[in-house]
Amino acid sequence: MKKGLILFIAMMMLLLAGCSGKSDSDKKSTDDQANAGGTSEELVPEDGATLKLWTVKNKFTEDAIAEFEKQYGVKVELEDVFYTETLDRLKTDGPAGLGADLLAFGHDRVGDAAKSGLILPNDYFEEETKSNTEQSAIDAVTFDNILYGYPQYMYTYAMYVNRDIVGDAKLDTWDEVMDIAKKYNDIPNNKYGFMMETNSLYDVNSFMAGYGGYVFGKNGTDKNDLGINSEGSVKGMEFFKSLKEILPIKNTEITRDVKTSLFHEGKVGLNIDGTFNAASYKDVSFDMEVVPLPEMPGGKRPLAYSGISGLYVSAYSKYPNAAKLFAHFMASKDNQIKSAEALGNIPVFKGVDSSMPEFKDNKLMQGFIEQSKYTTPMPNIPEMEYYWVNVVPALELIWNGADIQKTLDQAQEKMKESIEAGSK
């Protein structure tokens, strides 16, 4: 009797297992979806959902929006708002019910946005995002161990080269840059062998980082360990100051618009500029390429700041599901490749690199992807905003001959004061 009962129970268990219709792989898929912050059901937009997006308007984004609207039936309104302005605008417009559902900004503002409760975590697509994205990009859009962003691309800067002016110079060292500038410079006629924005701390930081300078200790996470006046930072600023010999212009006169215009006109041989300006140079009349920033004296290579641009879902959005779907859609492999081809952005989707056929003959992408090996990510803690405020004024002082150590000491002291005041 017992033996028959046991046999019956075993048969029933087998029958139930067969009726469940789920293999081990099916169960794993369901578990994976649950771990991603969602359920076994596909995320669907809310009824009647419409979205407002704040980012820079361009054809790539407009085309992507059209494709999303076609696939999901959700209308997306694009407002042309520059990346550095989106988050500050949300701080005022969000509570008033006027903010965007989605906004783009650089990862250095993630800590500020998260701490202020302005953005929602990337929860439903968390595991998929992590498995598809380069770890450095994941780290950049994560704060307090919570993933917030949907990384779209890396942005950084390197050396744009007008080969019609500089010929076949290798540009491995700054000595070559100095020689080219001295030969070509004709300041009264607005001709320059070399140009950079000397009032851009984003660019100048590469020299400090290359010599070991830093903003915050512990890989940019310790607000109490400041390295603005460290030995490496001072040495980097000394090199920066030496460039005035080949760029004898007032710090405030070298604006982005001026530099972009002169390079476009073929009046600049070497131009430090970012991936974000690549599209504006696509129609230049001269032979152009991009190379990594050359080695500084002592064999130290500048470490350009890198940023990760991503989309973030506003905590004020009435349609978070639709917003998450759109952010995930924009960060897809296909859209990252299209963004690279159209705008010069560096993909952060795993496996998308310079060896791909799409980038084989793209001199700009080849150069920027090579430069990406020599970068340092911007810190993303909230206190990063004080770096720009307190250290940018030091650039003009140093460029005009001020004592470097004293100037950086003062900048660091002001930054300490800002951090202390912000902690109260």
Side-chain angles (χ1 to χ4, degrees), residues 202-238:
Y202 176 67
D203 294 345
V204 175
N205 188 84
S206 63
F207 306 138
M208 296 188 285
Y211 281 121
Y214 62 97
V215 182
F216 301 108
K218 295 181 181 178
N219 296 319
T221 64
D222 188 351
K223 67 179 183 180
N224 297 311
D225 178 9
L226 300 178
I228 295 165
N229 64 349
S230 64
E231 181 181 350
S233 295
V234 171
K235 193 167 183 179
M237 280 294 191
E238 288 173 348

PDB file of all heavy atoms in Angstrom, residues 202-238:
ATOM      1  N   TYR A 202      37.275  72.112 -17.455  1.00  0.00           N
ATOM      2  CA  TYR A 202      37.023  70.762 -17.985  1.00  0.00           C
ATOM      3  C   TYR A 202      38.201  70.307 -18.841  1.00  0.00           C
ATOM      4  O   TYR A 202      38.652  69.157 -18.738  1.00  0.00           O
ATOM      5  CB  TYR A 202      35.727  70.805 -18.794  1.00  0.00           C
ATOM      6  CG  TYR A 202      35.360  69.520 -19.499  1.00  0.00           C
ATOM      7  CD1 TYR A 202      35.006  68.381 -18.780  1.00  0.00           C
ATOM      8  CD2 TYR A 202      35.333  69.459 -20.896  1.00  0.00           C
ATOM      9  CE1 TYR A 202      34.643  67.211 -19.432  1.00  0.00           C
ATOM     10  CE2 TYR A 202      34.968  68.294 -21.556  1.00  0.00           C
ATOM     11  CZ  TYR A 202      34.628  67.174 -20.815  1.00  0.00           C
ATOM     12  OH  TYR A 202      34.277  66.015 -21.471  1.00  0.00           O
ATOM     13  N   ASP A 203      38.736  71.215 -19.680  1.00  0.00           N
ATOM     14  CA  ASP A 203      39.881  70.882 -20.532  1.00  0.00           C
ATOM     15  C   ASP A 203      41.192  70.905 -19.762  1.00  0.00           C
ATOM     16  O   ASP A 203      42.027  70.003 -19.886  1.00  0.00           O
ATOM     17  CB  ASP A 203      39.964  71.863 -21.705  1.00  0.00           C
ATOM     18  CG  ASP A 203      38.795  71.738 -22.667  1.00  0.00           C
ATOM     19  OD1 ASP A 203      38.067  70.732 -22.598  1.00  0.00           O
ATOM     20  OD2 ASP A 203      38.604  72.643 -23.491  1.00  0.00           O
ATOM     21  N   VAL A 204      41.388  71.949 -18.969  1.00  0.00           N
ATOM     22  CA  VAL A 204      42.664  72.148 -18.272  1.00  0.00           C
ATOM     23  C   VAL A 204      42.912  71.063 -17.237  1.00  0.00           C
ATOM     24  O   VAL A 204      44.060  70.704 -16.953  1.00  0.00           O
ATOM     25  CB  VAL A 204      42.694  73.546 -17.608  1.00  0.00           C
ATOM     26  CG1 VAL A 204      43.960  73.729 -16.767  1.00  0.00           C
ATOM     27  CG2 VAL A 204      42.612  74.642 -18.683  1.00  0.00           C
ATOM     28  N   ASN A 205      41.847  70.491 -16.696  1.00  0.00           N
ATOM     29  CA  ASN A 205      42.009  69.436 -15.690  1.00  0.00           C
ATOM     30  C   ASN A 205      42.855  68.276 -16.204  1.00  0.00           C
ATOM     31  O   ASN A 205      43.498  67.574 -15.417  1.00  0.00           O
ATOM     32  CB  ASN A 205      40.645  68.919 -15.244  1.00  0.00           C
ATOM     33  CG  ASN A 205      40.744  67.976 -14.070  1.00  0.00           C
ATOM     34  OD1 ASN A 205      40.804  68.395 -12.921  1.00  0.00           O
ATOM     35  ND2 ASN A 205      40.768  66.673 -14.348  1.00  0.00           N
ATOM     36  N   SER A 206      42.879  68.068 -17.526  1.00  0.00           N
ATOM     37  CA  SER A 206      43.638  66.945 -18.091  1.00  0.00           C
ATOM     38  C   SER A 206      45.121  67.046 -17.743  1.00  0.00           C
ATOM     39  O   SER A 206      45.785  66.021 -17.528  1.00  0.00           O
ATOM     40  CB  SER A 206      43.472  66.904 -19.610  1.00  0.00           C
ATOM     41  OG  SER A 206      44.001  68.068 -20.214  1.00  0.00           O
ATOM     42  N   PHE A 207      45.649  68.268 -17.681  1.00  0.00           N
ATOM     43  CA  PHE A 207      47.069  68.453 -17.369  1.00  0.00           C
ATOM     44  C   PHE A 207      47.339  68.130 -15.896  1.00  0.00           C
ATOM     45  O   PHE A 207      48.349  67.501 -15.561  1.00  0.00           O
ATOM     46  CB  PHE A 207      47.499  69.886 -17.681  1.00  0.00           C
ATOM     47  CG  PHE A 207      47.193  70.321 -19.090  1.00  0.00           C
ATOM     48  CD1 PHE A 207      46.678  71.588 -19.348  1.00  0.00           C
ATOM     49  CD2 PHE A 207      47.393  69.470 -20.168  1.00  0.00           C
ATOM     50  CE1 PHE A 207      46.392  71.993 -20.639  1.00  0.00           C
ATOM     51  CE2 PHE A 207      47.106  69.859 -21.470  1.00  0.00           C
ATOM     52  CZ  PHE A 207      46.595  71.135 -21.704  1.00  0.00           C
ATOM     53  N   MET A 208      46.438  68.553 -15.020  1.00  0.00           N
ATOM     54  CA  MET A 208      46.598  68.255 -13.597  1.00  0.00           C
ATOM     55  C   MET A 208      46.484  66.758 -13.350  1.00  0.00           C
ATOM     56  O   MET A 208      47.297  66.170 -12.634  1.00  0.00           O
ATOM     57  CB  MET A 208      45.556  69.022 -12.784  1.00  0.00           C
ATOM     58  CG  MET A 208      45.720  70.535 -12.856  1.00  0.00           C
ATOM     59  SD  MET A 208      44.644  71.434 -11.711  1.00  0.00           S
ATOM     60  CE  MET A 208      43.073  71.280 -12.550  1.00  0.00           C
ATOM     61  N   ALA A 209      45.470  66.129 -13.945  1.00  0.00           N
ATOM     62  CA  ALA A 209      45.273  64.690 -13.750  1.00  0.00           C
ATOM     63  C   ALA A 209      46.449  63.899 -14.306  1.00  0.00           C
ATOM     64  O   ALA A 209      46.842  62.868 -13.745  1.00  0.00           O
ATOM     65  CB  ALA A 209      43.969  64.253 -14.414  1.00  0.00           C
ATOM     66  N   GLY A 210      47.020  64.373 -15.418  1.00  0.00           N
ATOM     67  CA  GLY A 210      48.148  63.669 -16.021  1.00  0.00           C
ATOM     68  C   GLY A 210      49.364  63.604 -15.120  1.00  0.00           C
ATOM     69  O   GLY A 210      50.146  62.646 -15.171  1.00  0.00           O
ATOM     70  N   TYR A 211      49.517  64.608 -14.267  1.00  0.00           N
ATOM     71  CA  TYR A 211      50.643  64.631 -13.330  1.00  0.00           C
ATOM     72  C   TYR A 211      50.248  64.130 -11.938  1.00  0.00           C
ATOM     73  O   TYR A 211      50.998  64.277 -10.978  1.00  0.00           O
ATOM     74  CB  TYR A 211      51.206  66.050 -13.217  1.00  0.00           C
ATOM     75  CG  TYR A 211      52.111  66.432 -14.375  1.00  0.00           C
ATOM     76  CD1 TYR A 211      51.811  67.526 -15.184  1.00  0.00           C
ATOM     77  CD2 TYR A 211      53.268  65.704 -14.649  1.00  0.00           C
ATOM     78  CE1 TYR A 211      52.643  67.887 -16.238  1.00  0.00           C
ATOM     79  CE2 TYR A 211      54.106  66.056 -15.701  1.00  0.00           C
ATOM     80  CZ  TYR A 211      53.791  67.154 -16.492  1.00  0.00           C
ATOM     81  OH  TYR A 211      54.623  67.490 -17.548  1.00  0.00           O
ATOM     82  N   GLY A 212      49.065  63.543 -11.836  1.00  0.00           N
ATOM     83  CA  GLY A 212      48.656  62.949 -10.558  1.00  0.00           C
ATOM     84  C   GLY A 212      47.777  63.822  -9.696  1.00  0.00           C
ATOM     85  O   GLY A 212      47.448  63.443  -8.558  1.00  0.00           O
ATOM     86  N   GLY A 213      47.388  64.986 -10.181  1.00  0.00           N
ATOM     87  CA  GLY A 213      46.485  65.834  -9.420  1.00  0.00           C
ATOM     88  C   GLY A 213      45.079  65.242  -9.391  1.00  0.00           C
ATOM     89  O   GLY A 213      44.722  64.430 -10.237  1.00  0.00           O
ATOM     90  N   TYR A 214      44.287  65.648  -8.410  1.00  0.00           N
ATOM     91  CA  TYR A 214      42.936  65.115  -8.303  1.00  0.00           C
ATOM     92  C   TYR A 214      42.034  66.136  -7.612  1.00  0.00           C
ATOM     93  O   TYR A 214      42.507  67.108  -7.015  1.00  0.00           O
ATOM     94  CB  TYR A 214      42.928  63.796  -7.525  1.00  0.00           C
ATOM     95  CG  TYR A 214      43.410  63.910  -6.085  1.00  0.00           C
ATOM     96  CD1 TYR A 214      42.488  64.034  -5.040  1.00  0.00           C
ATOM     97  CD2 TYR A 214      44.767  63.892  -5.772  1.00  0.00           C
ATOM     98  CE1 TYR A 214      42.918  64.143  -3.726  1.00  0.00           C
ATOM     99  CE2 TYR A 214      45.212  64.000  -4.457  1.00  0.00           C
ATOM    100  CZ  TYR A 214      44.284  64.125  -3.433  1.00  0.00           C
ATOM    101  OH  TYR A 214      44.705  64.258  -2.135  1.00  0.00           O
ATOM    102  N   VAL A 215      40.744  65.900  -7.713  1.00  0.00           N
ATOM    103  CA  VAL A 215      39.763  66.762  -7.042  1.00  0.00           C
ATOM    104  C   VAL A 215      39.390  66.160  -5.698  1.00  0.00           C
ATOM    105  O   VAL A 215      39.593  66.758  -4.650  1.00  0.00           O
ATOM    106  CB  VAL A 215      38.501  66.955  -7.908  1.00  0.00           C
ATOM    107  CG1 VAL A 215      37.515  67.891  -7.212  1.00  0.00           C
ATOM    108  CG2 VAL A 215      38.869  67.497  -9.275  1.00  0.00           C
ATOM    109  N   PHE A 216      38.836  64.934  -5.730  1.00  0.00           N
ATOM    110  CA  PHE A 216      38.465  64.222  -4.512  1.00  0.00           C
ATOM    111  C   PHE A 216      39.229  62.901  -4.441  1.00  0.00           C
ATOM    112  O   PHE A 216      39.438  62.244  -5.460  1.00  0.00           O
ATOM    113  CB  PHE A 216      36.961  63.917  -4.497  1.00  0.00           C
ATOM    114  CG  PHE A 216      36.080  65.129  -4.584  1.00  0.00           C
ATOM    115  CD1 PHE A 216      35.374  65.405  -5.746  1.00  0.00           C
ATOM    116  CD2 PHE A 216      35.947  65.990  -3.504  1.00  0.00           C
ATOM    117  CE1 PHE A 216      34.554  66.512  -5.840  1.00  0.00           C
ATOM    118  CE2 PHE A 216      35.133  67.115  -3.588  1.00  0.00           C
ATOM    119  CZ  PHE A 216      34.436  67.378  -4.751  1.00  0.00           C
ATOM    120  N   GLY A 217      39.597  62.507  -3.241  1.00  0.00           N
ATOM    121  CA  GLY A 217      40.298  61.241  -3.052  1.00  0.00           C
ATOM    122  C   GLY A 217      39.377  60.047  -3.176  1.00  0.00           C
ATOM    123  O   GLY A 217      38.162  60.189  -3.391  1.00  0.00           O
ATOM    124  N   LYS A 218      39.956  58.848  -3.052  1.00  0.00           N
ATOM    125  CA  LYS A 218      39.220  57.584  -3.155  1.00  0.00           C
ATOM    126  C   LYS A 218      38.404  57.525  -4.441  1.00  0.00           C
ATOM    127  O   LYS A 218      37.193  57.310  -4.436  1.00  0.00           O
ATOM    128  CB  LYS A 218      38.314  57.385  -1.934  1.00  0.00           C
ATOM    129  CG  LYS A 218      39.071  57.230  -0.630  1.00  0.00           C
ATOM    130  CD  LYS A 218      38.124  57.009   0.545  1.00  0.00           C
ATOM    131  CE  LYS A 218      38.896  56.891   1.850  1.00  0.00           C
ATOM    132  NZ  LYS A 218      37.970  56.726   3.009  1.00  0.00           N
ATOM    133  N   ASN A 219      39.124  57.754  -5.540  1.00  0.00           N
ATOM    134  CA  ASN A 219      38.497  57.688  -6.877  1.00  0.00           C
ATOM    135  C   ASN A 219      37.309  58.635  -7.023  1.00  0.00           C
ATOM    136  O   ASN A 219      36.294  58.306  -7.640  1.00  0.00           O
ATOM    137  CB  ASN A 219      38.071  56.252  -7.199  1.00  0.00           C
ATOM    138  CG  ASN A 219      39.238  55.307  -7.304  1.00  0.00           C
ATOM    139  OD1 ASN A 219      40.270  55.648  -7.874  1.00  0.00           O
ATOM    140  ND2 ASN A 219      39.102  54.125  -6.727  1.00  0.00           N
ATOM    141  N   GLY A 220      37.466  59.815  -6.463  1.00  0.00           N
ATOM    142  CA  GLY A 220      36.453  60.847  -6.636  1.00  0.00           C
ATOM    143  C   GLY A 220      35.262  60.737  -5.713  1.00  0.00           C
ATOM    144  O   GLY A 220      34.239  61.379  -5.957  1.00  0.00           O
ATOM    145  N   THR A 221      35.378  59.972  -4.617  1.00  0.00           N
ATOM    146  CA  THR A 221      34.227  59.758  -3.740  1.00  0.00           C
ATOM    147  C   THR A 221      34.353  60.411  -2.365  1.00  0.00           C
ATOM    148  O   THR A 221      33.365  60.493  -1.630  1.00  0.00           O
ATOM    149  CB  THR A 221      33.985  58.254  -3.529  1.00  0.00           C
ATOM    150  OG1 THR A 221      35.120  57.680  -2.849  1.00  0.00           O
ATOM    151  CG2 THR A 221      33.785  57.542  -4.863  1.00  0.00           C
ATOM    152  N   ASP A 222      35.555  60.876  -2.011  1.00  0.00           N
ATOM    153  CA  ASP A 222      35.784  61.408  -0.660  1.00  0.00           C
ATOM    154  C   ASP A 222      35.807  62.933  -0.689  1.00  0.00           C
ATOM    155  O   ASP A 222      36.809  63.550  -1.058  1.00  0.00           O
ATOM    156  CB  ASP A 222      37.090  60.863  -0.097  1.00  0.00           C
ATOM    157  CG  ASP A 222      37.293  61.217   1.373  1.00  0.00           C
ATOM    158  OD1 ASP A 222      36.492  62.032   1.901  1.00  0.00           O
ATOM    159  OD2 ASP A 222      38.240  60.704   1.989  1.00  0.00           O
ATOM    160  N   LYS A 223      34.730  63.555  -0.251  1.00  0.00           N
ATOM    161  CA  LYS A 223      34.629  65.014  -0.285  1.00  0.00           C
ATOM    162  C   LYS A 223      35.575  65.685   0.696  1.00  0.00           C
ATOM    163  O   LYS A 223      35.836  66.896   0.586  1.00  0.00           O
ATOM    164  CB  LYS A 223      33.194  65.448   0.021  1.00  0.00           C
ATOM    165  CG  LYS A 223      32.760  65.155   1.453  1.00  0.00           C
ATOM    166  CD  LYS A 223      31.339  65.634   1.706  1.00  0.00           C
ATOM    167  CE  LYS A 223      30.938  65.395   3.160  1.00  0.00           C
ATOM    168  NZ  LYS A 223      29.545  65.867   3.423  1.00  0.00           N
ATOM    169  N   ASN A 224      36.081  64.931   1.651  1.00  0.00           N
ATOM    170  CA  ASN A 224      36.971  65.503   2.663  1.00  0.00           C
ATOM    171  C   ASN A 224      38.448  65.424   2.281  1.00  0.00           C
ATOM    172  O   ASN A 224      39.297  65.970   2.987  1.00  0.00           O
ATOM    173  CB  ASN A 224      36.750  64.800   4.008  1.00  0.00           C
ATOM    174  CG  ASN A 224      35.339  65.004   4.533  1.00  0.00           C
ATOM    175  OD1 ASN A 224      34.840  66.133   4.563  1.00  0.00           O
ATOM    176  ND2 ASN A 224      34.688  63.924   4.938  1.00  0.00           N
ATOM    177  N   ASP A 225      38.750  64.743   1.179  1.00  0.00           N
ATOM    178  CA  ASP A 225      40.133  64.642   0.700  1.00  0.00           C
ATOM    179  C   ASP A 225      40.235  65.409  -0.613  1.00  0.00           C
ATOM    180  O   ASP A 225      39.925  64.888  -1.682  1.00  0.00           O
ATOM    181  CB  ASP A 225      40.516  63.171   0.505  1.00  0.00           C
ATOM    182  CG  ASP A 225      41.941  63.008  -0.036  1.00  0.00           C
ATOM    183  OD1 ASP A 225      42.684  64.014  -0.085  1.00  0.00           O
ATOM    184  OD2 ASP A 225      42.298  61.874  -0.404  1.00  0.00           O
ATOM    185  N   LEU A 226      40.678  66.647  -0.523  1.00  0.00           N
ATOM    186  CA  LEU A 226      40.779  67.501  -1.699  1.00  0.00           C
ATOM    187  C   LEU A 226      42.222  67.557  -2.198  1.00  0.00           C
ATOM    188  O   LEU A 226      43.151  67.685  -1.403  1.00  0.00           O
ATOM    189  CB  LEU A 226      40.295  68.920  -1.378  1.00  0.00           C
ATOM    190  CG  LEU A 226      38.845  69.052  -0.912  1.00  0.00           C
ATOM    191  CD1 LEU A 226      38.525  70.509  -0.593  1.00  0.00           C
ATOM    192  CD2 LEU A 226      37.890  68.518  -1.967  1.00  0.00           C
ATOM    193  N   GLY A 227      42.387  67.468  -3.523  1.00  0.00           N
ATOM    194  CA  GLY A 227      43.727  67.491  -4.097  1.00  0.00           C
ATOM    195  C   GLY A 227      43.947  68.635  -5.065  1.00  0.00           C
ATOM    196  O   GLY A 227      44.821  68.565  -5.934  1.00  0.00           O
ATOM    197  N   ILE A 228      43.175  69.688  -4.934  1.00  0.00           N
ATOM    198  CA  ILE A 228      43.252  70.816  -5.869  1.00  0.00           C
ATOM    199  C   ILE A 228      44.604  71.509  -5.810  1.00  0.00           C
ATOM    200  O   ILE A 228      45.112  71.987  -6.825  1.00  0.00           O
ATOM    201  CB  ILE A 228      42.118  71.812  -5.571  1.00  0.00           C
ATOM    202  CG1 ILE A 228      40.779  71.138  -5.847  1.00  0.00           C
ATOM    203  CG2 ILE A 228      42.255  73.079  -6.412  1.00  0.00           C
ATOM    204  CD1 ILE A 228      39.594  71.867  -5.265  1.00  0.00           C
ATOM    205  N   ASN A 229      45.193  71.565  -4.626  1.00  0.00           N
ATOM    206  CA  ASN A 229      46.503  72.217  -4.484  1.00  0.00           C
ATOM    207  C   ASN A 229      47.627  71.211  -4.276  1.00  0.00           C
ATOM    208  O   ASN A 229      48.692  71.540  -3.763  1.00  0.00           O
ATOM    209  CB  ASN A 229      46.484  73.206  -3.313  1.00  0.00           C
ATOM    210  CG  ASN A 229      46.261  72.513  -1.970  1.00  0.00           C
ATOM    211  OD1 ASN A 229      45.915  71.325  -1.918  1.00  0.00           O
ATOM    212  ND2 ASN A 229      46.447  73.254  -0.884  1.00  0.00           N
ATOM    213  N   SER A 230      47.396  69.959  -4.700  1.00  0.00           N
ATOM    214  CA  SER A 230      48.410  68.912  -4.542  1.00  0.00           C
ATOM    215  C   SER A 230      49.576  69.143  -5.495  1.00  0.00           C
ATOM    216  O   SER A 230      49.505  69.963  -6.415  1.00  0.00           O
ATOM    217  CB  SER A 230      47.798  67.537  -4.823  1.00  0.00           C
ATOM    218  OG  SER A 230      47.376  67.454  -6.174  1.00  0.00           O
ATOM    219  N   GLU A 231      50.647  68.413  -5.278  1.00  0.00           N
ATOM    220  CA  GLU A 231      51.853  68.559  -6.105  1.00  0.00           C
ATOM    221  C   GLU A 231      51.544  68.321  -7.581  1.00  0.00           C
ATOM    222  O   GLU A 231      52.013  69.056  -8.452  1.00  0.00           O
ATOM    223  CB  GLU A 231      52.923  67.567  -5.627  1.00  0.00           C
ATOM    224  CG  GLU A 231      54.222  67.654  -6.399  1.00  0.00           C
ATOM    225  CD  GLU A 231      55.263  66.652  -5.918  1.00  0.00           C
ATOM    226  OE1 GLU A 231      55.035  66.014  -4.863  1.00  0.00           O
ATOM    227  OE2 GLU A 231      56.304  66.499  -6.592  1.00  0.00           O
ATOM    228  N   GLY A 232      50.742  67.297  -7.877  1.00  0.00           N
ATOM    229  CA  GLY A 232      50.403  67.001  -9.259  1.00  0.00           C
ATOM    230  C   GLY A 232      49.568  68.095  -9.900  1.00  0.00           C
ATOM    231  O   GLY A 232      49.760  68.435 -11.074  1.00  0.00           O
ATOM    232  N   SER A 233      48.637  68.655  -9.122  1.00  0.00           N
ATOM    233  CA  SER A 233      47.807  69.735  -9.651  1.00  0.00           C
ATOM    234  C   SER A 233      48.649  70.968  -9.958  1.00  0.00           C
ATOM    235  O   SER A 233      48.462  71.624 -10.993  1.00  0.00           O
ATOM    236  CB  SER A 233      46.707  70.095  -8.643  1.00  0.00           C
ATOM    237  OG  SER A 233      45.807  69.020  -8.475  1.00  0.00           O
ATOM    238  N   VAL A 234      49.578  71.280  -9.068  1.00  0.00           N
ATOM    239  CA  VAL A 234      50.463  72.431  -9.277  1.00  0.00           C
ATOM    240  C   VAL A 234      51.313  72.225 -10.530  1.00  0.00           C
ATOM    241  O   VAL A 234      51.456  73.129 -11.362  1.00  0.00           O
ATOM    242  CB  VAL A 234      51.364  72.661  -8.048  1.00  0.00           C
ATOM    243  CG1 VAL A 234      52.435  73.709  -8.352  1.00  0.00           C
ATOM    244  CG2 VAL A 234      50.527  73.096  -6.855  1.00  0.00           C
ATOM    245  N   LYS A 235      51.855  71.025 -10.687  1.00  0.00           N
ATOM    246  CA  LYS A 235      52.693  70.746 -11.852  1.00  0.00           C
ATOM    247  C   LYS A 235      51.878  70.837 -13.142  1.00  0.00           C
ATOM    248  O   LYS A 235      52.364  71.324 -14.176  1.00  0.00           O
ATOM    249  CB  LYS A 235      53.333  69.364 -11.726  1.00  0.00           C
ATOM    250  CG  LYS A 235      54.460  69.122 -12.721  1.00  0.00           C
ATOM    251  CD  LYS A 235      55.259  67.878 -12.357  1.00  0.00           C
ATOM    252  CE  LYS A 235      56.427  67.703 -13.341  1.00  0.00           C
ATOM    253  NZ  LYS A 235      57.250  66.514 -12.996  1.00  0.00           N
ATOM    254  N   GLY A 236      50.647  70.354 -13.091  1.00  0.00           N
ATOM    255  CA  GLY A 236      49.782  70.434 -14.266  1.00  0.00           C
ATOM    256  C   GLY A 236      49.475  71.877 -14.638  1.00  0.00           C
ATOM    257  O   GLY A 236      49.454  72.236 -15.820  1.00  0.00           O
ATOM    258  N   MET A 237      49.265  72.719 -13.625  1.00  0.00           N
ATOM    259  CA  MET A 237      49.008  74.131 -13.878  1.00  0.00           C
ATOM    260  C   MET A 237      50.257  74.854 -14.398  1.00  0.00           C
ATOM    261  O   MET A 237      50.151  75.803 -15.177  1.00  0.00           O
ATOM    262  CB  MET A 237      48.493  74.811 -12.621  1.00  0.00           C
ATOM    263  CG  MET A 237      47.025  74.574 -12.363  1.00  0.00           C
ATOM    264  SD  MET A 237      45.964  75.323 -13.629  1.00  0.00           S
ATOM    265  CE  MET A 237      44.367  75.141 -12.868  1.00  0.00           C
ATOM    266  N   GLU A 238      51.415  74.398 -13.977  1.00  0.00           N
ATOM    267  CA  GLU A 238      52.657  74.979 -14.507  1.00  0.00           C
ATOM    268  C   GLU A 238      52.770  74.714 -16.001  1.00  0.00           C
ATOM    269  O   GLU A 238      53.165  75.590 -16.779  1.00  0.00           O
ATOM    270  CB  GLU A 238      53.869  74.394 -13.761  1.00  0.00           C
ATOM    271  CG  GLU A 238      54.019  74.901 -12.329  1.00  0.00           C
ATOM    272  CD  GLU A 238      55.113  74.179 -11.557  1.00  0.00           C
ATOM    273  OE1 GLU A 238      55.605  73.127 -12.060  1.00  0.00           O
ATOM    274  OE2 GLU A 238      55.473  74.644 -10.451  1.00  0.00           O
TER     275      GLU A 238
END
